[in-house]
Amino acid sequence: MPIESADKAVFEYSVPVIVIGAGACGLSAALAAAGEGASVLVLERDDAPTGSTSLSAGLIPGAGTSFQAEKNVEDDVETFFEDIMKKAKGKTDPVMARRVAEQSGPTVEWLAASGVQMHLVTDFLLPGHSRHRLHGPPNQTGVELETALVNAVNAAGVDIITSATAETLYADDAGRIVAVAFRRPDGTLETVGCDAVILACNGFGGNPELVGEYIPEMRTAGFFGHVGNKGDAIVWGRALGAGIADMNAYQGHASVAEPHGVLLTWAVITEGGFQVNVEGKRFSNELKGYSEQAVEVVGQPGGIAWNIYDERSEKPAFAFQDYRDLLENGAVRTAASVEELAAATGLPADALARTIAEVEAFADGKAQDPLGRDFTTHPKLAPPYKAARVTGGLFHTQGGLVIDTDARVLRADGSPLPNLFAGGGAARGISGPSSWYLAGNGLVTAVVFGRLAGLAAAGLAGAAA
């Protein structure tokens, strides 16, 4: 049973705040709670903290930051809020979306002040963002971000127990969590008392049954998120009477290098590149977004597409360590002509030449793309051409437990559970009920609601002391 009665809990020690999960959300929560003077214990099922954070590009959108001011980027909360709502087609909770927009800049600044090195990415805009607001570590990898957060949490004196799988929450009749039981690698079950619990154990992308139930269109897609994303938070929350929402929301990605299984940045597409299927034909408007495009790629013959771009559109990609690794591993083909490009990719030469000629006409304004994309914002591609074989994949889910603006988990009737908090993939995101994912939505909700959960949990623990 995921939830046991409080009177069954037997434990020798207690910690004011327990955080389950050591990704960006959990570590932000632990850092914030510790900063308020609360003792915190983080439980992480992996041998070392990684989670979905390490698999991301490590980029966090933030509005009105000092990093933007230094580069003369004009941005504010209202603009970011409008971008969130537009990308979600107005179908996400506006109160929560505004809370994220309001807290995004302060949270980025707080992370930087905590020792997480940040810089503003200005080389490109990803679909849905009207301003340059993505902040990340120097090499723009999730591993860097995760490592920096672990270092900050360690410096704050927070205990992280790895290889610790949380199994049972003990709750009283009011839904108050009094203890958490976790299992160590040797099979030992250990129970710890607590004043507050923060669920930061991500979504359910690694649970095929739940994916099939809620996101059937991605049932056959490869899962490129963290294998530990089994939906534990949802199971616990449901058992406590928590509300869930937007369970069919997810972040897909249409540019997973195949067979390498590594993200190839969508910047090569937004800067003028495009995708073709194995028949050499375009099949969708790529600028809908890399998440929306994922299901389009999955639906192509063999679930395969090719990114076609050039040296100019490739330039922003060099800022990503993942892209540099793909180059070293031979994932990117280079060709001096269309004929060589066809030979390098195995694509039908006539069809590929026809597609490239059509895109050139779109870029020159001589014709309109029947798929609805405007190519006139960037120069047409020029040899040498670049190409990479990709597939579409599911990265993480965006539906989950309903929370309030302080990350408290809410019951189905809207009332808060006494001492349970959630953020990141464990909680409902701000992408709406579909794949309308705005770049960075996962990480910004992780760090914003992680931080807010940590502050609120510390206050609750202090009141209980």
Side-chain angles (χ1 to χ4, degrees):
M1 290 288 291
I3 304 293
E4 290 283 0
S5 175
D7 57 17
K8 295 182 180 180
V10 178
F11 49 90
E12 295 182 357
Y13 67 100
S14 183
V15 177
V17 178
I18 293 179
V19 179
I20 302 176
C25 179
L27 294 175
S28 295
L31 193 59
E36 295 297 300
S39 294
V40 184
L41 174 64
V42 179
L43 301 176
E44 169 55 47
R45 75 168 67 203
D46 287 350
D47 295 338
T50 54
S52 294
T53 301
S54 292
L55 299 172
S56 73
L59 299 180
I60 304 169
T65 69
S66 60
F67 301 96
Q68 290 176 310
E70 288 171 3
K71 294 190 176 182
N72 299 314
V73 174
E74 295 184 4
D75 192 19
D76 55 31
V77 168
E78 192 63 30
T79 302
F80 187 18
F81 169 72
E82 290 173 357
D83 285 352
I84 293 171
M85 296 304 296
K86 183 177 180 180
K87 194 66 162 66
K89 304 184 188 300
K91 295 184 178 180
T92 191
D93 185 337
V95 174
M96 299 302 285
R98 185 172 292 280
R99 181 66 159 166
V100 171
E102 290 172 345
Q103 291 296 317
S104 63
T107 299
V108 166
E109 302 282 5
W110 170 75
L111 288 171
S114 300
V116 179
Q117 192 173 359
M118 290 281 179
H119 81 290
L120 180 69
V121 178
T122 57
D123 298 333
F124 57 89
L125 282 173
L126 289 176
H129 286 291
S130 64
R131 302 289 190 275
H132 293 293
R133 61 170 71 98
L134 293 175
H135 301 73
N139 289 305
Q140 297 173 193
T141 70
V143 172
E144 279 182 290
L145 177 62
E146 177 77 10
T147 300
L149 284 167
V150 169
N151 290 340
V153 167
N154 286 337
V158 173
D159 292 322
I160 303 176
I161 301 179
T162 56
S163 301
T165 302
E167 291 193 357
T168 304
L169 306 185
Y170 292 89
D172 62 20
D173 292 341
R176 181 179 301 278
I177 311 300
V178 301
V180 175
F182 66 94
R183 194 169 299 278
R184 292 184 180 271
D186 62 3
T188 303
L189 191 66
E190 190 169 333
T191 303
V192 184
C194 60
D195 296 321
V197 172
I198 300 172
L199 300 178
C201 40
N202 221 287
F204 60 90
N207 186 322
E209 291 75 22
L210 289 178
V211 171
E213 178 181 354
Y214 291 110
I215 316 174
E217 68 269 28
M218 296 299 283
R219 187 195 307 265
T220 61
F223 176 56
F224 295 94
H226 189 264
V227 295
N229 297 353
K230 301 296 187 182
D232 295 334
I234 293 165
V235 173
W236 284 319
R238 275 176 163 176
L240 289 165
I244 58 173
D246 292 344
M247 293 295 285
N248 51 342
Y250 66 95
Q251 186 225 332
H253 208 294
S255 186
V256 183
E258 204 280 332
H260 308 80
V262 176
L263 271 182
L264 195 164
T265 174
W266 201 240
V268 302
I269 301 297
T270 61
E271 290 299 298
F274 57 90
Q275 289 191 314
V276 298
N277 58 22
V278 294
E279 297 170 350
K281 301 174 183 178
R282 287 182 60 238
F283 48 89
S284 181
N285 178 355
E286 300 91 345
L287 291 195
K288 289 183 300 184
Y290 58 75
S291 182
E292 295 93 327
Q293 185 76 352
V295 71
E296 303 285 355
V297 171
V298 171
Q300 298 308 301
I304 293 297
W306 284 85
N307 290 353
I308 308 296
Y309 51 107
D310 64 3
E311 289 186 339
R312 179 194 55 78
S313 52
E314 180 188 38
K315 287 181 180 178
F318 286 105
F320 293 86
Q321 182 63 48
D322 285 345
Y323 188 74
R324 300 197 295 270
D325 292 341
L326 286 172
L327 287 174
E328 289 186 10
N329 290 324
V332 179
R333 321 284 173 86
T334 301
S337 66
V338 175
E339 294 75 18
E340 286 188 15
L341 184 64
T345 57
L347 295 169
D350 290 347
L352 181 60
R354 187 162 49 250
T355 297
I356 290 177
E358 289 172 349
V359 172
E360 288 180 350
F362 302 152
D364 287 337
K366 296 177 180 178
Q368 288 190 333
D369 178 16
L371 297 174
R373 177 173 171 179
D374 180 5
F375 279 92
T376 64
T377 57
H378 293 90
K380 61 186 178 184
L381 301 186
Y385 297 105
K386 304 286 182 174
R389 177 184 166 99
V390 298
T391 188
L394 173 64
F395 271 74
H396 55 80
T397 54
Q398 285 284 292
L401 302 176
V402 177
I403 59 174
D404 69 8
T405 54
D406 288 321
R408 296 182 299 176
V409 175
L410 302 180
R411 296 185 178 91
D413 64 6
S415 63
L417 286 161
N419 65 342
L420 185 64
F421 302 82
R428 176 195 189 187
I430 54 170
S431 297
S434 187
S435 60
W436 307 323
Y437 183 82
L438 182 65
N441 265 7
L443 276 177
V444 73
T445 53
V447 296
V448 163
F449 287 119
R451 175 172 170 249
L452 294 174
L455 294 174
L460 191 64

